[in-house]
Amino acid sequence: MPLDLFEPFALGDLKLANRMVMAPMTRNRADADGCIPELMVAYYRQRATAGLIVAESTTVSPQAVGYPFTPGLHTDAHVTGWRHLTEAVHAAGGHIFVQLQHCGRISHPSLLDGQAPVAPSAMQPAGQAATYAGPQDFVTPRELGRDELPGIVAQFRHAAELAKHAGFDGVEVHAGNGYLIDQFLRDGSNHRSDAYGGSAANRMRLLNEVLDAVCAEWPAERVGVRLTPENSFNSMSDSDPQAHFAYFLGQLSPRGLAYAHILEGDMMTKTASIDYRALRTGFAGVCIANNGYDLARARAAVHTGKADLIAFGTPFLANPDLVHRYRENLPLTAADPTTFYVGGKAGYTDYPFHRGDGAETRHLATATE
């Protein structure tokens, strides 16, 4: 019998209601200290019919911050807010992982108490940082000393430990989109000559150490990893993404991780030039595919075994009941990009649910729900 997007799925010992994943999406609705307001609780609770939610990129330390109003997971106050949110998702029947993140060079001194952002190599990315004062040019980051890298690993381990206290079902290590671990993985941003640079094995060393640390806090089957092999976002490049990421995924296979979450192609150019099916066949575990999937493509990918689960971003953002709409072939609400990162409930908790009679109804979520 052919596999289908709406079938239940066993992710390790978790029983997901379907194969649809809500992708992690930065929405800039946390407070200035990275704590979780009630508005975020309402937003995630609305979308709990996803088989799995991967909560938005969450910083593992003050040094890891790269954007205003993004959530953290390194203080007791963070734990308290996240626990309220995870309890709401669980009460609605959902499962939720948190994506652990260090932005590395994709930050600005104004977000870091005047300190320079850190990176594998002192290479200034092109573009501008988002700051509380508006866009500002990226600066040249400070190259991390080898003696500092255990501290980076410890930040991820501490955040993973707090994720348990916050009630998450698991964690996803963010190793993509041009942030710190990805900066180490790809040779366009890693020009080190020590044990953390040069060969693919060396460039993967930090990711391996982070995964070792996170898996000391969580069973491997509750730990995922996010990879973006050819995404140029955040001034990223690599000389041979097909070969390098085939190596990385091959090395990840024996770990027994919950999944590899792979962004297929480039978010900036909307193109894909490498063979993602070949990458998938080189990884023995669960694969989540992401980037521009609609219902037809998602069902085909699951049916043919190209992916086990499909992560949807913007469709879940604008359609909290996306599972119902896709299952019933109902029309989708279009997203409003002007509200993606501006704060408030507009374009966040006020997207309509389909009533089932051909009409739509606004959800009654409020800023204080």
Side-chain angles (χ1 to χ4, degrees), residues 6 19 24 27 43 69 99 103 118 143 158 218 238 246 258 262 270 299 314 320 327 351:
F6 306 109
R19 295 170 182 257
R27 301 303 310 277
Y43 170 77
F69 302 113
Q99 186 185 69
C103 288
V118 297
E143 181 174 314
H158 182 237
W218 287 85
D238 189 85
I262 301 173
K270 309 300 182 184
R299 297 185 94 162
T314 304
R327 183 183 284 121
Y351 279 109

Side-chain angles (χ1 to χ4, degrees), residues 313-337:
T314 304
F316 258 122
L317 180 156
N319 299 272
D321 56 346
L322 183 66
V323 176
H324 171 67
R325 292 190 188 225
Y326 271 170
R327 183 183 284 121
E328 303 300 326
N329 286 306
L330 298 170
L332 300 186
T333 301
D336 178 5

Side-chain angles (χ1 to χ4, degrees), residues 178-236:
Y179 301 116
L180 185 64
I181 296 177
D182 195 28
Q183 293 160 27
F184 273 85
L185 288 176
R186 293 204 253 179
D187 59 15
S189 50
N190 184 344
H191 289 187
R192 298 174 74 96
S193 58
D194 63 6
Y196 291 83
S199 68
N202 280 357
R203 298 197 312 275
M204 191 183 183
R205 192 179 304 276
L206 180 63
L207 173 57
N208 278 326
E209 292 176 351
V210 167
L211 288 173
D212 287 345
V214 170
C215 289
E217 299 294 335
W218 287 85
E221 66 178 13
R222 295 294 188 97
V223 178
V225 64
R226 168 82 157 175
L227 299 170
T228 58
E230 60 179 329
N231 197 10
S232 63
F233 180 61
N234 283 328
S235 196
M236 293 298 289

Side-chain angles (χ1 to χ4, degrees), residues 28-38 40 67-72 77-78 132:
N28 303 92
R29 261 70 172 190
D31 71 15
D33 295 320
C35 292
I36 308 303
E38 288 296 317
M40 284 181 64
Y67 300 91
F69 302 113
T70 51
H78 294 153
Y132 289 101

Side-chain angles (χ1 to χ4, degrees), residues 3 277 280-281 287 299-308:
L3 300 175
R277 185 173 290 275
R280 195 270 175 272
T281 59
C287 177
R299 297 185 94 162
V302 168
H303 176 64
T304 61
K306 181 184 178 186
D308 301 291

Side-chain angles (χ1 to χ4, degrees), residues 28-117:
N28 303 92
R29 261 70 172 190
D31 71 15
D33 295 320
C35 292
I36 308 303
E38 288 296 317
L39 189 66
M40 284 181 64
V41 177
Y43 170 77
Y44 281 102
R45 182 174 60 236
Q46 289 174 358
R47 290 153 179 81
T49 54
L52 177 68
I53 293 172
V54 182
E56 62 205 85
S57 178
T58 299
T59 57
V60 298
S61 72
Q63 182 196 58
V65 174
Y67 300 91
F69 302 113
T70 51
L73 193 47
H74 47 88
T75 72
D76 290 342
H78 294 153
V79 171
T80 299
W82 277 120
R83 186 186 299 119
H84 183 35
L85 189 153
T86 60
E87 288 173 351
V89 169
H90 291 151
H95 292 96
I96 183 167
F97 279 36
V98 63
Q99 186 185 69
L100 301 182
Q101 157 81 313
H102 192 305
C103 288
R105 70 182 188 175
I106 303 303
S107 188
H108 189 270
S110 66
L111 300 171
L112 304 171
D113 292 328
Q115 300 298 306

